[in-house]
């Protein structure tokens, strides 16, 4: 993430996310959002799908039986 | 003074309320008209216990209860009113050894109290005004003792 | 530390600036300040206009001396225009070089002016261009506005590039929206909101993938879908209502403007009075909300022990008595337990087993705990009752304050109604149909009230509908998870949900902590700059109301002087920029305009420290830029210029 361009506050909060997979995914999503800030209809589905694939296998499903 | 011997019991982790009264608590916490928007659920509960001991009465919980909060949320400020109400109910401090009963008494007063309190807040009139008039009067009576 | 700076500003044939004028603005170390001094007519404000024209296609400051003429006042400098014939075009451009330690971005925009036949002019400007330095080479950037938006978003720029004299308007009517917008813009919340929206749709796609789930689950899916739709419909309703509210407010404002244009000075006076009263009423209502909250807090604290007072007093007296008698509270005496243990036999006759012994011993332990607790009670209860009395006292104070505020509210409302009635009775014919306008205005006001009530109700319904939807979702997921092949998809859905939840809570956290930080800084700056003997407490509530509370606990925002309001606005903006996490340069036109001498001096001294590590360029008149101000700024100054205006042409020269 071109970290100097996203608001400091957001960066700080992202770093506070405990879950590694979720944190990485959220970083990818925010990077995407920042890059596409101006576009009316950013095509996020493909990119989000890619990001998801990177982390989902390692993710431990905490909330299985809430 | 009662001749009853109280069993030493442990009160259990959660304080329970009647299932269908959960909404009342939520409304008291969330509605703009309510004076309780900044209070925690356990604080509203204890207020309801005290209010119930004065304005309603002991109302056994109908059906299975639903946990409202964990005992750990309570502190001295909130525990002593609960204990005292049990003591006054049984007319003896012996009851304090029976944790279960102390909790039950509180839950039942809250059960009655919450319904009264909810009607007071959402009924006609200004709840902040009426409740504070009440409380101020109680304070004045108390200090003149 | 590096900061993003305007390294230079080049004005070519722009308004008063003939030929090419390059103004170097880069700063060194902690000398973060630049000063350009000049008179208004000399093109001082046009320096700010040049920057905003280049970056955002608009000029924010209308030069006071040429107010009416600005429309026909051509972009291109007069001298350059003199050199072309009728129906011919003269061109100019503005270029801004930005960068941290070296030039990184060159923004430029050109414009042209056609000299018309009859002696007028017609101007237009071109697109914004950007060259970015990447890997040593300058490359043209295609999506210029996206890039600009990442450096200094459109909404945010108004807090970094602004006109000091307009500042006191900031806290005029409708300021809460401006404050809220400022806060949200600066937190860059839209980034999070976009993420949340997109993740929502993304999740929806996976939900559709859950297939072959069986009848029971299909039913649940239907219920879930319905619940989702209900939420969306309600949200649509809410958006529409918000739009209607905004439109209605606009209509009212339009009518207000027209009434201000009435030929009758009485009408104008009443309209002005109405605007003042409405502002004050807004503040008073905010205060009432605050005081009600404070009173509620006291009520909850005092209410519990006082409603239980009889029980507490009874318990206290019981505990006191027992303590005097030296008895243990529970009837089962310690000695009794000792006896049992010695005898080795229970009262029921059975022998004491190891278990029994253990139990009795722990009972003994427990005894002592119970005793301890009860002794605590003997000490805690009186304290509790004392506190309750104090909270009740405070509650009385708050109620009294509330009564006063409510009375003020009533009076203001009464006066507003009177004004409205008087205006409705106004039947002197003139251009402005006062009677008719006032009637319309009252209708709009009624409409506004209804709409706001509707908004409140919708918000509550939406919360309830969302809870129901979440329940339905859970039920559906439970059914679905019974089918193993759906496990994969369910896992993805839950992952996305967790991520979304994180974004939601980040959003809430950020808004809340930004608000608190801004409040702290505003309070600090305002008191520092105003430097009166009394200490003010500046607070920023969750509803974006700004309160300036004096030592007598009264909200003084309505009685601040123009200069003080300017300082307050300044404090707010300084707080915003320092909290924003945006590292962008500041350019302020007439920062010290209406401010009286002491605050002026303190501003000059302290501003570079409040907003440290940010390049600040001030455009000042010579009235502002006194020797004293100059002396205070010198330690922080990197560049100092003067505007030399002669023959309708301005030249930028070093100050000395």
């Amino acid at each position: 993430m071109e970290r100097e361009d996203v608001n400091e506050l957001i960066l700080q909060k992202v770093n506070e996310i405990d879950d590694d997979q979720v944190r990485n995914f959220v970083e990818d999503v925010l990077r995407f959002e920042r890059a596409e800030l101006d576009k009316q209809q950013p095509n996020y589905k493909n990119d989000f799908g890619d990001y998801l694939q990177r982390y989902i296998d390692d993710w431990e499903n905490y909330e299985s039986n809430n | 003074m009662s001749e009853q011997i109280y069993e030493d019991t442990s009160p259990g982790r959660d304080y329970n309320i009647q299932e269908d009264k959960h909404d009342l608590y939520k409304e008291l916490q969330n509605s703009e008209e309510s004076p309780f928007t900044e209070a925690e659920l356990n604080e509203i509960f204890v207020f309801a216990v005290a209010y119930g001991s004065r304005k309603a009465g002991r109302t056994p919980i109908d059906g299975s209860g639903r946990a409202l909060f964990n005992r750990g949320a309570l502190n001295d400020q909130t525990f002593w009113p609960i204990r005292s109400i049990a003591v006054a109910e049984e007319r003896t401090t012996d009851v304090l050894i029976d944790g279960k009963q102390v909790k039950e008494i509180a839950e039942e007063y809250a059960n009655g109290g919450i319904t009264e309190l909810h009607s007071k807040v959402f009924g006609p009139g200004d709840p902040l005004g009426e409740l504070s008039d009440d409380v101020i009067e109680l304070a004045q009576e108390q200090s003149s003792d | 530390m590096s900061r993003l700076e305007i390294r230079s500003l080049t004005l070519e044939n722009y308004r008063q600036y003939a030929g090419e004028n390059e103004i170097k603005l880069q700063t060194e170390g902690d000398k973060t300040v630049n000063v350009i001094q000049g008179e208004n007519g000399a093109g001082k404000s046009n320096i700010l206009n040049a920057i905003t024209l280049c970056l955002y296609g608009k000029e924010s400051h209308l030069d006071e001396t040429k107010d009416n003429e600005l429309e026909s006042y051509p972009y291109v400098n007069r001298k350059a225009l003199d050199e072309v014939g009728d129906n011919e075009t003269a061109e100019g451009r503005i270029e801004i070089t930005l960068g941290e330690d070296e030039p990184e971005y060159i923004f430029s925009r050109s414009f042209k002016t056609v000299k018309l036949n009859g002696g007028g002019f017609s101007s237009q400007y071109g697109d914004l261009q950007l060259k970015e330095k990447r890997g040593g080479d300058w490359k043209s950037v295609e999506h210029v506005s996206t890039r600009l938006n990442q450096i200094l978003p459109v909404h945010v720029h108004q807090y970094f590039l602004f006109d000091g004299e307009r500042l006191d308007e900031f806290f005029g009517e409708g300021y809460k929206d401006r404050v809220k917008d400022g806060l949200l813009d600066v937190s860059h919340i839209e980034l999070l909101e976009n993420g949340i929206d997109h993740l929502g749709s993304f999740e929806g796609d996976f939900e559709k993938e859950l297939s072959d789930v069986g009848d029971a689950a299909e039913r649940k899916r239907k219920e879930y879908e319905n619940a989702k739709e209900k939420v969306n419909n309600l949200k649509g309703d809410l958006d529409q209502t918000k739009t209607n509210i905004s439109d209605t407010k606009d209509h009212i404002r339009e009518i207000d403007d027209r009434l201000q244009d009435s030929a009758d000075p009485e009408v104008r006076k009443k309209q002005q009075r109405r605007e003042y009263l409405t502002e004050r009423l807004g503040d008073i209502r905010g205060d009432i909300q605050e005081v009600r909250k404070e009173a509620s807090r006291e009520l909850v604290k005092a209410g519990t022990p006082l409603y239980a007072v009889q029980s507490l007093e009874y318990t206290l007296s019981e505990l006191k008595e027992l303590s005097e008698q030296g008895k243990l509270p529970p009837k089962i005496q310690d000695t009794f337990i000792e006896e049992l243990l010695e005898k080795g036999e229970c009262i029921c006759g059975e022998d004491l087993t190891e278990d029994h012994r253990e139990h009795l011993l722990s009972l003994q332990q427990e005894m002592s705990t119970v005793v301890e607790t009860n002794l605590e009670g003997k000490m805690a209860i009186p304290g509790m009752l004392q506190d309750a009395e104090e909270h009740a006292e405070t509650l009385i104070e708050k109620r009294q304050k509330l009564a006063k505020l409510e009375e003020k509210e009533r009076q203001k409302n009464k006066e507003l109604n009177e004004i409205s009635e008087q205006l409705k009775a106004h039947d002197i014919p003139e251009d402005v149909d006062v009677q008719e306008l006032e009637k319309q205005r009252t209708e709009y006001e009624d409409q506004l009230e209804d709409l706001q009530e509707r908004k409140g109700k919708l918000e509550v319904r939406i919360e309830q509908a969302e809870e129901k939807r979440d329940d339905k979702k859970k039920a559906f997921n439970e059914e679905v998870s019974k089918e193993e092949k759906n496990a994969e998809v369910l896992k993805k859905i839950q992952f996305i949900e967790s991520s979304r939840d994180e974004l939601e809570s980040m959003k809430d956290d950020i808004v809340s902590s930004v608000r608190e930080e801004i409040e702290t800084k505003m309070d600090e700056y305002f008191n520092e700059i105003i430097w009166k003997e009394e200490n003010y407490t500046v607070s920023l509530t969750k509803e974006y109301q700004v309160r300036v509370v004096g030592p007598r606990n009264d909200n003084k925002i309505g009685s601040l002087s123009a200069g003080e309001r300017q300082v307050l606005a300044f404090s707010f903006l300084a707080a915003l920029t320092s909290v924003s996490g945006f590292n962008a340069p500041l350019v302020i036109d007439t920062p010290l305009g209406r401010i009286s001498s002491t605050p002026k001096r303190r501003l000059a001294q302290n501003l570079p420290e409040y907003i440290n590590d940010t390049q600040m360029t001030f455009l000042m008149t010579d009235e502002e830029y006194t020797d004293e101000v100059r002396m205070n700024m010198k330690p922080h100054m990197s560049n100092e210029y003067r505007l030399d205006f002669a023959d309708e042409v301005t030249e930028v020269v070093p100050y000395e």
Side-chain angles (χ1 to χ4, degrees):
Chain A
M1 177 145 75
E2 285 163 323
R3 293 180 82 88
E4 65 270 15
D5 282 343
V6 172
N7 191 302
E8 264 301 310
L9 299 165
I10 296 182
L11 291 179
Q12 267 173 30
K13 289 291 168 191
V14 170
N15 278 332
E16 286 171 17
I17 299 176
D18 284 325
D19 187 324
D20 288 336
Q21 271 68 37
V22 169
R23 184 182 60 246
N24 287 324
F25 181 65
V26 165
E27 269 189 28
D28 286 350
V29 167
L30 287 176
R31 185 202 314 156
F32 174 89
E33 293 298 342
R34 200 187 53 68
E36 306 288 304
L37 207 46
D38 223 33
K39 300 217 183 118
Q40 288 285 37
Q41 309 271 12
N43 182 7
Y44 56 86
K45 295 192 187 186
N46 286 334
D47 293 47
F48 278 22
D50 291 340
Y51 306 151
L52 185 65
Q53 266 323 117
R54 280 182 219 167
Y55 309 112
I56 190 71
D57 291 327
D58 291 329
W59 188 56
E60 256 148 53
N61 188 343
Y62 299 118
E63 301 185 24
S64 32
N65 291 306
N66 237 343
Chain B
M1 198 112 145
S2 136
E3 287 306 311
Q4 186 180 352
I5 292 186
Y6 290 88
E7 241 188 279
D8 166 30
T9 63
S10 195
R13 199 190 60 171
D14 295 322
Y15 272 75
N16 293 303
I17 58 169
Q18 191 163 302
E19 171 79 51
D20 62 4
K21 295 199 179 178
H22 188 245
D23 281 345
L24 303 184
Y25 281 90
K26 280 304 195 178
E27 281 167 31
L28 282 169
Q29 215 184 23
N30 295 331
S31 167
E32 268 184 29
E33 310 163 44
S34 163
F36 296 94
T37 50
E38 294 190 0
E40 302 283 347
L41 287 174
N42 70 82
E43 289 172 310
I44 301 179
F45 177 85
V46 182
F47 194 98
V49 174
Y51 195 72
S53 77
R54 192 90 183 196
K55 303 272 185 174
R58 255 176 100 167
T59 312
I61 290 181
D62 190 13
S64 63
R66 171 187 171 152
L68 187 69
F69 61 89
N70 184 303
R71 180 165 60 133
L74 297 172
N75 57 28
D76 267 357
Q77 303 289 61
T78 37
F79 243 138
W80 276 107
I82 286 178
R83 288 186 185 127
S84 308
I85 284 169
V87 167
E89 177 80 358
E90 298 288 300
R91 309 309 284 172
T92 172
T93 54
D94 289 355
V95 68
L96 292 176
I97 202 172
D98 187 350
K100 253 199 179 131
Q101 195 173 21
V102 171
K103 183 160 82 91
E104 192 178 295
I105 294 171
E107 287 171 344
E108 294 183 355
Y109 271 117
N111 200 30
I114 195 70
T115 310
E116 276 302 311
L117 189 59
H118 186 271
S119 322
K120 187 63 159 176
V121 168
F122 293 102
D126 171 28
L128 181 59
E130 288 176 28
L131 284 171
S132 46
D133 279 343
D134 231 6
V135 167
I136 289 170
E137 204 183 306
L138 285 166
Q140 284 167 345
E141 273 170 27
Q142 212 250 335
S143 59
S144 65
D145 279 343
Chain C
M1 225 170 86
S2 320
R3 50 180 168 265
L4 184 64
E5 299 206 331
I6 299 175
R7 295 182 66 83
S8 69
L9 171 65
T10 305
L11 308 174
E12 190 184 329
N13 284 331
Y14 173 68
R15 300 213 191 269
Q16 292 100 331
Y17 299 90
E20 194 175 278
N21 284 266
E22 188 187 3
I23 308 171
K24 289 204 195 294
L25 292 170
Q26 82 213 54
T27 65
E28 294 270 332
D30 54 2
K31 291 182 190 249
T32 54
V33 176
N34 297 317
V35 173
I36 303 178
Q37 186 234 302
E39 289 311 312
N40 274 320
K44 172 180 75 70
S45 304
N46 280 334
I47 291 183
L48 180 58
N49 281 334
I51 298 173
T52 55
L53 178 63
C54 177
L55 296 178
Y56 304 106
K58 53 188 171 188
E59 290 162 298
S60 38
H61 180 84
L62 293 177
D63 194 313
E64 282 162 347
T65 60
K66 299 207 187 283
D67 217 36
N68 308 330
E69 295 171 38
L70 204 67
E71 256 118 65
S72 57
Y73 191 36
Y75 284 148
V76 173
N77 176 266
R78 295 276 181 173
K79 267 220 160 108
L81 284 168
D82 284 342
E83 285 162 27
V84 300
D86 281 356
N87 281 326
E88 283 182 1
T89 315
E91 289 184 9
R93 89 182 201 290
I94 300 166
E95 198 175 273
I96 302 173
T97 307
L98 292 168
E100 287 187 14
D101 298 315
E102 44 160 39
E104 289 170 48
Y105 308 99
I106 301 181
F107 287 95
S108 59
R109 197 189 293 261
S110 56
F111 48 83
K112 51 191 177 196
T113 299
V114 178
K115 195 171 177 180
L116 301 170
N117 248 329
F121 300 99
S122 166
S123 299
Q124 48 174 201
Y125 56 80
D127 289 333
L128 179 62
Q129 319 259 356
L130 170 61
K131 286 210 188 63
E132 193 176 343
K133 198 158 194 197
R134 290 217 165 257
D137 290 328
W138 285 100
K139 300 205 163 78
S140 258
V141 172
E142 216 183 296
H143 299 295
V144 183
S145 44
T146 305
R147 201 76 190 94
L148 176 59
N149 221 23
Q150 289 162 354
I151 302 167
L152 193 54
V154 166
H155 301 304
V156 179
H157 90 258
Q158 61 190 296
Y159 313 114
F160 287 82
L161 313 165
F162 61 87
D163 175 4
E165 293 218 301
R166 284 265 184 83
L167 275 188
D168 74 330
E169 282 171 25
F170 191 83
F171 278 108
E173 212 211 306
Y175 79 80
K176 284 192 225 171
D177 286 337
R178 286 191 279 278
V179 166
K180 179 177 179 187
D181 286 343
L183 219 134
L184 293 180
D185 287 341
V186 135
S187 331
H188 221 179
I189 282 300
E190 58 185 4
L191 211 61
L192 296 173
E193 285 177 343
N194 291 347
I196 290 168
D197 280 343
H198 292 150
L199 284 177
S201 311
F202 192 44
E203 191 180 333
D205 291 344
F206 282 111
E207 279 172 351
K208 290 201 189 98
E209 258 181 53
L210 291 166
S211 60
D212 255 350
V213 290
D215 285 336
E218 273 307 320
R219 271 199 299 276
K220 299 275 177 200
R221 188 212 292 269
K222 205 82 222 51
E223 283 175 20
Y224 172 45
E225 297 286 331
N226 287 342
K228 263 205 285 192
E229 207 185 310
K230 180 142 188 222
V231 170
N232 286 337
N233 289 341
L234 286 172
K235 282 189 171 167
D237 253 346
L238 181 65
D239 282 338
Q240 184 58 52
T241 306
K242 282 183 180 169
T243 307
N244 292 344
I245 287 176
S246 173
D247 288 343
T248 309
K249 281 185 178 169
D250 284 341
H251 287 139
I252 294 176
R253 247 190 295 270
E254 269 169 41
I255 293 180
D256 283 340
D257 285 342
R258 288 169 68 186
L259 285 171
Q260 280 284 21
D261 281 339
S262 165
D264 185 342
E266 274 305 309
V267 169
R268 289 200 302 274
K269 210 165 88 175
K270 290 195 170 78
Q271 180 55 31
Q272 262 183 7
R273 176 86 186 144
R274 168 155 57 195
E275 284 180 21
Y276 167 76
L277 286 171
T278 308
E279 232 181 272
R280 288 298 296 133
L281 199 55
D283 283 332
I284 290 173
R285 288 199 174 127
D287 287 346
I288 287 176
Q289 255 186 18
E290 269 305 303
V291 175
R292 280 188 76 92
K293 269 207 201 125
E294 290 165 10
S296 299
R297 265 175 239 149
E298 300 300 320
L299 172 64
V300 175
K301 291 213 183 96
T304 302
L306 284 170
Y307 278 117
V309 71
Q310 285 172 342
S311 308
L312 283 167
E313 282 178 338
Y314 176 77
T315 305
L316 182 62
S317 69
E318 287 292 294
L319 291 175
K320 275 189 181 156
E321 200 183 300
L322 288 170
S323 147
E324 276 160 25
Q325 292 170 8
K327 273 198 195 150
L328 285 173
K331 265 203 164 139
I332 310 163
Q333 302 264 1
D334 204 9
T335 49
F336 183 56
I337 296 180
E338 290 281 2
E339 270 176 50
L340 277 185
L341 285 169
E342 268 174 46
K343 251 163 87 174
E345 198 182 274
C346 180
I347 31 169
C348 61
E350 271 188 38
D351 284 337
L352 286 182
T353 62
E354 243 341 288
D355 281 332
H356 289 154
R357 277 186 183 277
E358 264 177 41
H359 180 76
L360 284 171
L361 282 170
S362 78
L363 207 63
Q364 237 182 354
Q365 275 284 62
E366 182 117 1
M367 291 299 108
S368 17
T369 325
V370 175
V371 177
E372 240 175 76
T373 314
N374 291 339
L375 284 179
E376 270 171 33
K378 194 168 80 90
M379 294 190 288
I381 293 178
M384 221 175 281
L385 291 171
Q386 177 66 24
D387 283 345
E389 249 183 79
E390 282 168 20
H391 286 303
E393 288 280 334
T394 315
L395 182 56
I396 293 175
E397 273 171 40
K398 300 290 174 189
R399 290 283 306 278
Q400 286 169 341
K401 199 168 165 188
L402 199 56
K404 284 202 190 118
L405 286 169
E406 284 172 345
E407 180 54 34
K408 275 192 194 167
E409 189 192 9
R410 254 189 301 274
Q411 282 174 352
K412 299 240 165 352
N413 255 325
K414 186 160 166 247
E415 212 189 317
L416 280 169
N417 284 334
E418 277 167 14
I419 290 178
S420 186
E421 290 306 310
Q422 286 164 2
L423 288 173
K424 274 194 225 164
H426 178 98
D427 56 4
I428 300 168
E430 53 149 308
D431 276 348
V432 177
D433 188 350
V434 172
Q435 222 170 11
E436 187 55 39
L437 283 176
E438 187 59 31
K439 258 207 250 152
Q440 278 177 21
R441 193 184 189 283
T442 309
E443 274 169 32
Y444 281 132
E445 289 263 4
D446 289 338
Q447 220 177 70
L448 189 60
E449 217 181 291
D450 287 338
L451 285 170
Q452 277 165 341
E453 203 185 308
R454 186 181 160 82
K455 173 169 172 270
K457 288 202 175 124
L458 278 171
E459 282 167 344
V460 171
R461 284 175 67 193
I462 286 175
E463 230 183 279
Q464 290 169 341
E466 281 176 334
E467 257 181 54
K468 188 159 175 208
R469 174 202 60 193
D470 291 341
D471 284 340
K472 295 291 176 194
K473 179 181 191 173
K474 231 165 137 182
F476 173 53
N477 283 345
E478 268 169 29
E479 274 302 319
V480 162
S481 62
K482 292 177 185 166
E483 189 77 40
E484 227 184 271
K485 65 179 153 188
N486 287 311
E488 267 298 308
V489 180
L490 263 182
K491 186 179 178 191
K492 288 182 181 169
I493 290 175
Q494 278 162 0
F495 182 72
I496 298 171
E497 212 179 278
S498 301
S499 307
R500 222 171 147 209
D501 286 342
E502 289 290 347
L503 284 175
E504 289 275 7
S505 84
M506 268 170 67
K507 189 176 131 180
D508 291 336
D509 280 347
I510 287 178
V511 171
S512 171
S513 59
V514 164
R515 192 184 51 74
E516 279 168 21
E517 231 189 297
I518 288 181
E519 180 183 70
T520 310
K521 293 230 149 94
M522 262 185 92
D523 185 279
E524 192 190 315
Y525 298 163
F526 185 72
N527 278 299
E528 264 292 314
I529 299 171
I530 287 290
W531 199 247
K532 284 208 170 126
E533 266 149 28
E534 343 172 275
N535 191 9
Y536 295 106
T537 307
V538 179
S539 56
L540 177 59
T541 70
K542 287 191 192 135
E543 289 77 38
Y544 305 104
Q545 187 201 15
V546 172
R547 305 176 77 225
V548 180
V549 176
R552 266 169 304 280
N553 243 318
D554 46 345
N555 187 3
K556 295 175 79 76
I557 196 170
S559 54
L560 294 176
S561 68
E564 285 169 339
R565 277 154 85 112
Q566 194 167 354
V567 172
L568 185 65
F570 230 128
S571 312
F572 175 67
L573 291 168
L576 265 191
T577 56
S578 86
V579 157
S580 77
F582 276 108
N583 186 4
L586 271 173
V587 177
I588 310 177
D589 186 12
T590 325
L592 304 176
R594 251 173 255 188
I595 301 172
S596 58
S597 48
T598 309
K600 205 195 309 235
R601 179 171 48 84
R602 299 193 68 77
L603 248 183
Q605 267 174 336
N606 292 318
L607 206 54
E609 279 162 39
Y610 292 156
I611 315 181
N612 56 16
D613 207 43
T614 301
Q615 176 201 40
M616 283 181 273
T617 303
F618 296 130
L619 314 171
M620 297 202 251
T621 60
D622 61 359
E623 278 153 348
E624 289 172 272
Y625 201 43
T626 61
D627 288 336
E628 198 183 10
V629 166
R630 184 166 187 239
M631 194 179 66
N632 280 311
M633 287 198 164
K634 221 126 190 6
H636 304 286
M637 209 155 36
S638 271
N639 297 297
E640 201 184 3
Y641 298 105
R642 230 170 8 94
L643 296 182
D644 217 7
F645 181 57
D647 262 343
E648 291 199 301
V649 166
T650 300
E651 222 187 305
V652 184
V653 300
Y655 194 77
E656 12 215 33

